[in-house]
Amino acid sequence: MPDREERFRVMLDMVEATVGPAPRVLDLACGTGSITDRLLRRFPDARSTGVDLDPALLTIARGSFAGDDRVTFVTADLTAPDWTDALPHTEYDAVLTATALHWLRSGPLATLYGHLARLVRDGGVLMNADHMIDRTTPRINAAERAHRHSVMDRAKEGGAVDWAEWWALAGADPALAGPTARRFEIYGEHADGETPSLQWHAETLRSAGFGEARAVWSSPSDSLLLALK
C-alpha cells in the first residue's frame, strides 16, 4: 500500500481540524495499533482505545505500547450486540479505522455504524479509510486492480513479504504461535466481507445519525470517508 502514510496524514489532519490535538480516540479494528502509533507521535496528549478481536495482532499491539498509560486495548467482536460494553468510555471525540471494515458484510456494517453514531460525541467524527468500490466503473476498476497487483508482484520479487508469508512467520514465532492459531480458529483464511461504494457508506452513516459524510481523500482503489456528528 504505497499511499498508506498519505491516508494516515490526511486522517490526522482532519482529526486536528475537527476535534483538536488532544482527542480521545477509538482505534476501531486496531490490528497492531498502526493508527494509534501515528496518532500519539503527532498528538502526544491524545488518548486511544484500541479494539479488535484478533489475538495475534492484539498481542503485538499490547507489546508495542506496554507501559504507555495513554493507550488501552480491548478484545471485542464488533458484530456482537453488546461489544461497546467492553470499552472504558461511553463517548469518543473520534473513531478511526483503516483497511479493516471490509471484513464485514453490509448488514453487520450498517449495524456497527449505528453503534458508532452513539459513541461519537456531538461535533465528533468517524473516519474510515478502506476499499470502497464503485460498481458502475468496471473497466476502470479492472485496470486499477491489474496495475495494483502488478506492483505487488514486483514488490514480492524484490523481497516483500505477502499476506500468507507474514502469517506463516507469525505462526512460527514463539510469542505469536498460540495467538496466531487462535486467530485462524476465529477467522479462517479470510473473512467473507464486502466492499460497498463510498456513496453507500456516506448514506448509511447519515442514516445512522451523522450530520455530514463525504470523502476527504481518495486513491485509485481506496477512499477515506469522514462523517461528522
Side-chain angles (χ1 to χ4, degrees):
M1 297 175 64
D3 52 25
R4 189 166 185 250
E5 294 306 321
E6 177 69 6
R7 77 184 65 194
F8 287 144
R9 181 191 66 78
V10 174
M11 179 181 283
L12 296 182
D13 281 350
M14 295 311 297
V15 166
E16 186 172 21
T18 55
V19 298
R24 177 189 289 170
V25 169
L26 180 62
D27 185 351
L28 189 74
C30 64
T32 60
S34 298
I35 290 175
T36 292
D37 172 58
R38 288 155 180 81
L39 173 78
L40 297 179
R41 282 194 274 121
R42 178 159 168 177
F43 305 126
D45 293 328
R47 296 291 184 270
S48 179
T49 302
V51 58
D52 208 304
L53 184 61
D54 189 314
L57 299 185
L58 282 172
T59 297
I60 295 171
R62 289 185 169 113
S64 297
F65 294 93
D68 192 332
D69 61 8
R70 299 171 297 176
V71 185
T72 302
F73 289 103
V74 171
T75 300
D77 181 350
L78 298 180
T79 64
D82 60 349
W83 73 270
T84 58
D85 293 349
L87 300 177
H89 306 290
T90 58
E91 189 174 78
Y92 288 86
D93 300 309
V95 175
L96 308 178
T97 186
T99 325
L101 298 189
H102 66 275
W103 281 64
L104 300 178
R105 299 194 69 80
S106 57
L109 180 53
T111 300
L112 176 63
Y113 279 161
H115 293 157
L116 297 174
R118 293 188 288 274
L119 281 174
V120 174
R121 67 164 174 85
D122 288 346
V125 294
L126 179 152
M127 279 184 270
N128 177 16
D130 209 346
H131 314 312
M132 299 181 186
I133 307 301
D134 186 340
R135 306 294 177 188
T136 69
T137 58
R139 289 184 297 162
I140 296 173
N141 298 347
E144 181 281 322
R145 187 178 189 279
H147 179 265
R148 175 162 40 91
H149 280 266
S150 175
V151 171
M152 291 165 63
D153 289 343
R154 291 198 297 271
K156 187 175 179 180
E157 290 171 1
V161 176
D162 69 11
W163 169 270
E165 291 167 334
W166 192 93
W167 281 112
L169 290 170
D173 185 280
L176 293 175
T180 298
R182 292 195 298 275
R183 182 247 181 230
F184 279 97
E185 291 173 1
I186 295 169
Y187 293 113
E189 289 298 322
H190 202 289
D192 181 27
E194 291 182 291
T195 54
S197 69
L198 175 65
Q199 180 180 2
W200 180 93
H201 285 274
E203 290 175 351
T204 303
L205 284 162
R206 286 192 289 265
S207 295
F210 288 88
E212 300 177 10
R214 72 167 177 87
V216 292
W217 173 91
S218 291
S219 75
S221 61
D222 293 5
S223 292
L224 169 59
L225 184 141
L226 184 153
L228 180 67
K229 182 77 176 290

